[in-house]
Amino acid sequence: MWSSVMKNQQTLNLLPVLGGSMSLQPVLSGPDAAFLSSRVTFRCIRPDSSLPVTYELIRDGSALIAVVADLPGDQKALFHLKVTATSEGSYHCKATTPESTGVSNSIRLSVVTPASNTRVTSDPFPPAAYEGSRMALSCSVAKGSHLFYTWLFNRKEVTSLTSPPVLLTGNELVMGKVAPEHAGYYSCMAWSEVQGDRRFSSSQEVQMTVKAYLSKPRISYSIFKQGASRYGNVTCWSTRGSPPVNISLSVNDKEVGSVTGAQSLVAWFLVAMAPRQDTAVARCRVKTEVQELTSEPVTLEMVPVGGHVKVEVEYLYSADSKLVAAKLTCQVSRGTFPHISWLLNNSSLPSETHEDSLTHPVPYHGALADRRRTLFLAKLGPEESGYYVCRARDSYNDSGAWLESAAVLVGVTEVFLNTIEVLTIVFCCFLFLMLAVGAGCVYKMFDHKHAQAQVATTDSDAFPLSAHTSPSGGRQDDTLSKDFDFESEITV
């Protein structure tokens, strides 16, 4: 940037004295930079000259640019110039009087060419790169000099502190490792400044695309019937990646179809199918200019629905052992693509009839999952309770016969106690009974010991009496003996 203050280096050149007078020392002032095609003025004066002075403006030491003759000594010489491409150089003026000649200081004039036809270029071109690679954008101009550059990303100025991180160097914006957040619209401005006057040239916006690498392809298939024939509709897709992508299908290592998706990462292929056909192994392949990936193999088979159909019920409990839901699963012993239907009390479930909710004043809390194989009952109220049946047929044959399971009863929580509650009550009753029996045993044991202690005390009191000699002899002993027997019967 050119300073608005002119710094004029004054180089005093002392010339030989002519005719005995002192040499002149003129002073040159003027701009040190100017835009191309603009007009500038240089001023030259010889201070304190009493004689008429002739001024010459000289560029690069020898090229005479202009002459102003016979000016009074106190008047400045003005040199008006239109700036061209050849105007750049070192200027000085020479002042001549009848008595002497002097040379002024020098001023270096730089010609500044405003930027024009600014555009953004990229390496690589076009501006598209895969994640982790390098991308460099350049702000290019058809012409211009002494330029400065400002970058815009999505119309916001880019600095070294902005996010996502970039490196600004000269007229380049460099991304060392491209990330998805670098994708967007970039533009630049090239500008120059002379003495506070700025001139700009802006580019058009350029869209930069960040490509994602492909994920491993996946494969699936379904079967449908068309007339008397059956076909497998094979789907190949990647969950991540940037188009265009070539997607192909091979069966038994032979390519049977290929398509290039300009905007999509999914493709469909038709393969003829037949019951009990020979084993066919299919694989999907995706390919870009930098990647080629293959899916896991899938065996294409069409096994009709058959065997047995069974409903399995699993009750679900909350953390406080409350029965909150039930999960019903329809098990089909054989069949590649069964279509499952559910019946409640010999009627199709409300969730399968697709009727308007106004026709069902009582809400039904059921939901199907896993291709209708699983039925979740989020609530077990009267409207969800009853006999459940699941049935299955081939999904590709609408006129096929149904195979039905046996009916399974799912009860109402208000009528049937849940299993945990029953077990809790039984356990509590058993514990109470055990406590009662234990208390009775302890009571009997302590009561028996108490009886034995009383018998021992009675015997110790009776024996001394029976051994006492009475004047009456044996009659007293008999009486005491009878008394002892009576007391013993009472105690026991």
Side-chain angles (χ1 to χ4, degrees), residues 110-392:
S110 297
V111 176
V112 178
T113 303
S116 62
N117 297 328
T118 303
R119 68 188 188 281
V120 175
T121 59
S122 66
D123 181 22
F125 179 83
Y130 281 92
E131 294 174 318
S133 60
R134 181 182 183 275
M135 170 64 71
L137 302 178
S138 299
C139 191
S140 302
V141 297
K143 61 180 180 179
S145 65
H146 306 85
L147 296 177
F148 300 89
Y149 302 92
T150 299
W151 284 93
L152 302 177
F153 173 55
N154 293 333
R155 301 189 178 182
K156 294 183 179 179
E157 184 174 353
V158 177
T159 68
S160 58
L161 301 178
T162 57
S163 180
V166 295
L167 176 63
L168 299 175
T169 172
N171 68 327
E172 286 191 333
L173 184 150
V174 179
M175 291 156 273
K177 291 185 177 181
V178 171
E181 54 267 26
H182 285 116
Y185 291 87
Y186 290 83
S187 63
C188 71
M189 291 188 299
W191 55 277
S192 53
E193 182 177 2
V194 173
Q195 298 180 11
D197 180 19
R198 288 189 178 186
R199 298 189 182 182
F200 297 85
S201 176
S202 298
S203 72
Q204 297 290 327
E205 285 186 326
V206 170
Q207 183 180 11
M208 177 184 163
T209 302
V210 178
K211 295 184 178 181
Y213 286 103
L214 291 171
S215 62
K216 186 174 181 177
R218 301 174 66 180
I219 182 172
S220 66
Y221 73 101
S222 61
I223 297 177
F224 69 95
K225 185 178 180 182
Q226 186 174 10
S229 302
R230 295 173 177 85
Y231 297 92
N233 185 14
V234 183
T235 304
C236 298
W237 80 97
S238 288
T239 58
R240 187 175 184 273
S242 296
V245 178
N246 178 262
I247 305 175
S248 60
L249 174 68
S250 62
V251 177
N252 293 334
D253 297 326
K254 180 181 179 181
E255 185 175 300
V256 296
S258 176
V259 63
T260 298
Q263 301 294 332
S264 177
L265 297 176
V266 60
W268 295 269
F269 303 93
L270 295 182
V271 179
M273 301 288 293
R276 303 175 188 85
Q277 67 180 12
D278 294 336
T279 301
V281 178
R283 289 182 175 87
C284 292
R285 180 177 289 105
V286 293
K287 184 179 180 181
T288 65
E289 68 270 23
V290 296
Q291 279 184 290
E292 184 172 348
L293 301 172
T294 304
S295 71
E296 295 294 332
V298 168
T299 301
L300 302 180
E301 57 182 355
M302 186 177 65
V303 178
V305 170
H308 301 285
V309 180
K310 183 176 67 172
V311 175
E312 293 185 353
V313 181
E314 178 184 357
Y315 291 100
L316 306 176
Y317 299 89
S318 62
D320 56 353
S321 301
K322 297 287 186 181
L323 180 60
V324 294
K327 174 185 175 184
L328 283 66
T329 304
C330 187
Q331 301 286 350
V332 183
S333 60
R334 186 173 69 248
T336 310
F337 295 98
H339 174 71
I340 307 298
S341 177
W342 290 87
L343 302 177
L344 171 58
N345 297 329
N346 294 323
S347 298
S348 296
L349 295 182
S351 59
E352 293 197 4
T353 58
H354 303 291
E355 296 180 10
D356 189 88
S357 59
L358 293 178
T359 64
H360 298 283
V362 179
Y364 181 80
H365 302 88
L368 294 170
D370 189 23
R371 297 182 181 179
R372 311 170 69 89
R373 295 175 186 264
T374 302
L375 173 63
F376 288 98
L377 301 179
K379 180 183 177 183
L380 290 179
E383 64 274 10
E384 289 85 20
S385 299
Y387 288 91
Y388 282 84
V389 172
C390 80
R391 55 184 184 172

Side-chain angles (χ1 to χ4, degrees), residues 71-87:
L71 288 179
D74 57 352
Q75 186 175 348
K76 293 180 179 180
L78 302 179
F79 299 97
H80 302 287
L81 305 178
K82 183 176 181 180
V83 179
T84 65
T86 60
S87 298

Side-chain angles (χ1 to χ4, degrees), residues 461-485:
D461 293 339
F463 291 152
L465 290 175
S466 63
H468 180 67
T469 303
S470 172
S472 61
R475 292 185 63 181
Q476 185 174 358
D477 293 339
D478 294 339
T479 303
L480 292 173
S481 176
K482 290 181 179 179
D483 292 340
F484 173 74
D485 293 339

Side-chain angles (χ1 to χ4, degrees), residues 66-115:
V67 177
V68 178
D70 299 331
L71 288 179
D74 57 352
Q75 186 175 348
K76 293 180 179 180
L78 302 179
F79 299 97
H80 302 287
L81 305 178
K82 183 176 181 180
V83 179
T84 65
T86 60
S87 298
E88 185 165 335
S90 179
Y91 289 81
H92 69 271
C93 74
K94 182 168 67 173
T96 303
T97 67
E99 296 180 352
S100 61
T101 300
V103 178
S104 72
N105 55 293
S106 297
I107 296 178
R108 178 73 185 183
L109 176 66
S110 297
V111 176
V112 178
T113 303

